Amino acid sequence: MSVLNAAQQSAVAELLRVSPLADELGRRFGAAGHELHLVGGSVRDALLGRLGDDLDFCTDARPEQTLAVVSGWADAIWETGREFGTIGIQKNGLRIEITTYRAEAYDGVSRNPVVQYGDSLLDDLGRRDFTINAMAVSVPGHEFTDPFGGTADLAARMIRTPAAPQLSFSDDPLRMLRAARFAAKLQFKVDESVISAMRDMAPDLDRITAERIRDEFTKLMSGADPIAGLRLLVDTGLADRFLPELAGLKLEIDEHAQHKDVYEHTLIVVMNAMRLEGDGGPDFVLRMAALMHDVGKPATKAVGRDGRVSFHHHEVVGARLTKNRMKALKYPKDVTSEVVGLVALHLRFYGYGRGEWTDSAVRRYVTDAGPLLDRLHKLTRSDVTTRNRRKAAQLAADYDALEDRISRIAAEEDLAKVRPDLDGNAIMELLGVPPGPIVGQAWRHLKELRLDRGPLDRDEAEAELLTWAREQGHIS
């Protein structure tokens, strides 16, 4: 046990906010002959002054003993993590996880941890990922335990491992990705010895399931500084193991020659997108679309006779690559669809400033974007990274004009719900046909007319439908 310094005293003071409940729980474990300590991220966050309502505890009690202690006291209990030694409970609005001391290890082949229970708090802290997560506070005694210098590393804003990095990462290779995630979340630096081990052991990440990698990467992208985490992934070779398209961008020169390469341009676009997120918090879909928007460039790069570089249809190729990559990482279909949609649409705006867009083109832009329109606005604006101030100002003005035009047309029409002027029942009644393919074809034809010409009155819509049906041979 260590003598409390000022930072630790502050952490204990922060813990007093939840100590009545925590101490009560600690007394219950003590009465049953067990230890209980607040541990890991909860202690780290208390030191940083940001302790939330999710609390992590560790104990020498086995899961069945923990269940006996909390049964009848907790408002709710869940055992989904029991095979890993974790029992979850809810009490007075707090979510609490209680985990048996562990000595967790991999056999070097398996893709999930092999859980071994331990009996020592110090051994449990020693097997944790980073020193800033290897601190504990006993309850109800409030004794602070920091055997690996976690408070000093917090003060230095440094990420180190309690054991040698090679040993820590061999136990769980996902910790390499977690180092990048914490760099992004906390805006801390990663110790050089840790970076060196990440670089040497990057292939070991292949032992980890796609789902675990996906979850860590999502947290990294949602951090306060994802750029730092992304650079670390690329520089250590970790990105090559699960997101090779990102590192591949370093080989491609931006067609505007305003950045060292498309990789640097992409990172700037991600930062720009973050600035446009607003107060709603991190928008993973927007950030991921910004990260992936140009991944189709390597496959579409061409150099013309005049020496200019082009990437024709890279948005189409990029959308396909994004879909395949997110599928491989097991992202939900709805999340993948949104990111892919933004990548596919991110170039649609260019050309608007030449005055070629009709109201029909604006309707199609809005209709194709659908619920992604607000994010598409942000992504398109974020993609302007030219250092030419006049060009940047012109592009911004053009997009302002497009948004104003969308607002004007939306005030006249319901652009959010562009539908044909006749519904399926009216089509069947007018053409005298039953439900079937003809109705669908007629519906799509009328929707195209609606996009091209705007709203039609009933007589116009019926006349257009009948003309189409005669031309198609559906009526005489």
Side-chain angles (χ1 to χ4, degrees), residues 138 147 191 211 238 241 263 268 292 327 334 342 428 467 469:
S138 67
D191 185 77
E211 291 85 353
L238 284 168
R241 316 313 304 186
Y263 171 73
I268 293 173
M292 302 297 285
K327 181 179 179 181
D334 59 335
L342 289 171
M428 288 188 288
T467 298

Side-chain angles (χ1 to χ4, degrees), residues 145-394:
T145 303
D146 180 17
F148 303 104
T151 51
D153 285 338
L154 273 180
R157 304 179 66 83
M158 182 65 67
I159 296 174
R160 294 189 305 111
T161 54
Q166 293 81 0
L167 178 61
S168 180
F169 295 157
S170 65
D171 280 348
D172 185 354
L174 188 68
R175 290 173 174 173
M176 294 184 286
L177 188 51
R178 284 171 63 83
R181 192 251 288 186
F182 279 113
K185 176 183 178 180
L186 301 175
Q187 297 178 283
F188 282 15
K189 293 183 178 180
V190 180
D191 185 77
E192 285 298 326
S193 66
V194 175
I195 293 176
S196 178
M198 292 166 67
R199 188 176 292 114
D200 293 340
M201 301 179 67
D204 286 7
L205 192 64
D206 296 346
R207 289 161 41 195
I208 304 301
T209 61
E211 291 85 353
R212 295 184 72 210
I213 292 174
R214 173 202 64 206
D215 291 346
E216 284 296 329
F217 181 68
T218 301
K219 293 174 183 177
L220 183 157
M221 286 297 295
S222 301
D225 184 15
I227 306 306
L230 292 169
R231 288 192 184 280
L232 192 57
L233 294 180
V234 172
D235 293 345
T236 58
L238 284 168
D240 292 334
R241 316 313 304 186
F242 71 95
L243 192 64
E245 294 83 2
L246 177 58
L249 293 175
K250 295 190 75 170
L251 303 177
E252 303 303 318
I253 301 173
D254 184 84
E255 71 269 35
H256 302 300
Q258 297 299 319
H259 301 275
K260 181 171 63 177
D261 52 33
V262 178
Y263 171 73
E264 293 295 333
H265 162 76
T266 294
L267 297 183
I268 293 173
V269 174
V270 174
M271 288 190 290
N272 290 345
M274 290 171 57
R275 296 188 187 104
L276 296 177
E277 284 177 332
D279 299 328
D283 184 343
F284 171 76
V285 168
L286 177 62
R287 294 185 183 191
M288 188 65 176
L291 183 68
M292 302 297 285
H293 79 285
D294 274 349
V295 295
K297 283 188 171 180
T300 58
K301 180 181 177 182
V303 181
R305 292 181 179 180
D306 59 358
R308 290 181 61 84
V309 178
S310 65
F311 303 95
H312 294 306
H313 304 301
H314 75 267
E315 75 281 12
V316 177
V317 175
R320 184 176 70 249
L321 292 173
T322 299
K323 181 178 181 179
N324 291 340
R325 181 55 54 197
M326 294 187 71
K327 181 179 179 181
L329 288 171
K330 310 294 185 182
Y331 275 99
K333 290 182 179 179
D334 59 335
V335 175
T336 299
S337 177
E338 290 176 337
V339 175
V340 170
L342 289 171
V343 173
L345 290 169
H346 83 274
L347 280 186
R348 182 76 68 86
F349 158 73
Y350 292 94
Y352 177 78
R354 294 195 295 266
E356 299 172 354
W357 282 34
T358 61
D359 283 356
S360 172
V362 175
R363 292 188 195 99
R364 291 179 184 278
Y365 186 78
V366 174
T367 301
D368 289 348
L372 297 174
L373 183 62
D374 183 60
R375 284 180 171 132
L376 182 58
H377 288 332
K378 295 175 182 178
L379 177 60
T380 303
R381 290 185 181 276
S382 300
D383 197 21
V384 179
T385 61
T386 176
R387 296 176 187 173
N388 185 319
R389 292 185 178 179
R390 179 178 298 177
K391 184 176 182 180
Q394 184 60 56

